[in-house]
Amino acid sequence: MDCIFCKIANKEIPSDIVYENEKVIAFRDINPVAPVHILVIPKEHTESVQTLDDKHLSLLPDIFKAIKEIAEKENISESGYRVITNSGKHGGQEVFHLHFHILGGENIGKLRCK
Ligand code: AMP
């Protein structure tokens, strides 16, 4: 499958990895829109929230545990941050491998969606 985030998860292309375990990997966004902009993905491919089946749904606690730990490591747990997932064309999704943006390090404001 020609998926750029699968390639990052498989270390076929380089990325700035900030967190990794058996199921989840997180790396810095290549085009950051905030001082801290990290993408958290399940290693196993699924397109978006809309394609989550029972197996993928069971990964969500691991993803949110990763988000919390990354926020602590990046020193944004107290100042705060935004978690976003875009789904489909109208949701502004560009990479069709489920991912959660973590945005922080400054006041993100209400309208910035990624
Ligand atoms: P979305 O619009 O929600 O699908 O977000 C996709 C994000 O992936 C964008 O913010 C891109 O900047 C980011 N992105 C695309 N390719 C890479 C890459 N090779 N490494 C890190 N981030 C990437």
Side-chain angles (χ1 to χ4, degrees):
M1 186 189 313
D2 194 25
C3 168
I4 193 162
F5 286 180
C6 282
K7 287 182 180 158
I8 286 176
N10 294 329
K11 318 275 171 60
E12 288 165 32
I13 61 169
S15 68
D16 188 355
I17 295 167
V18 298
Y19 178 100
E20 181 172 13
N21 65 25
E22 197 188 312
K23 297 173 186 167
V24 175
I25 189 164
F27 47 92
R28 294 191 194 281
D29 197 293
I30 206 167
N31 188 20
V33 298
V36 176
H37 187 172
I38 289 166
L39 302 173
V40 185
I41 68 169
K43 286 186 172 177
E44 192 173 309
H45 185 89
T46 189
E47 210 170 86
S48 70
V49 169
Q50 209 48 47
T51 59
L52 287 170
D53 60 15
D54 284 350
K55 191 172 161 215
H56 298 124
L57 280 167
S58 71
L59 290 169
L60 291 184
D62 297 281
I63 288 173
F64 278 90
K65 190 167 168 270
I67 289 170
K68 193 179 156 218
E69 282 182 30
I70 291 163
E72 279 159 12
K73 252 199 245 170
E74 296 287 321
N75 288 314
I76 57 170
S77 58
E78 285 186 20
S79 52
Y81 55 93
R82 180 165 298 156
V83 176
I84 294 164
T85 185
N86 297 318
S87 185
K89 199 167 92 181
H90 285 189
Q93 187 174 9
E94 287 166 11
V95 177
F96 287 85
H97 181 128
L98 178 68
H99 55 280
F100 294 82
H101 297 255
I102 304 174
L103 298 177
E106 68 182 11
N107 195 334
I108 300 302
K110 288 285 180 203
L111 289 176
R112 195 178 328 175
C113 61
K114 73 152 187 164

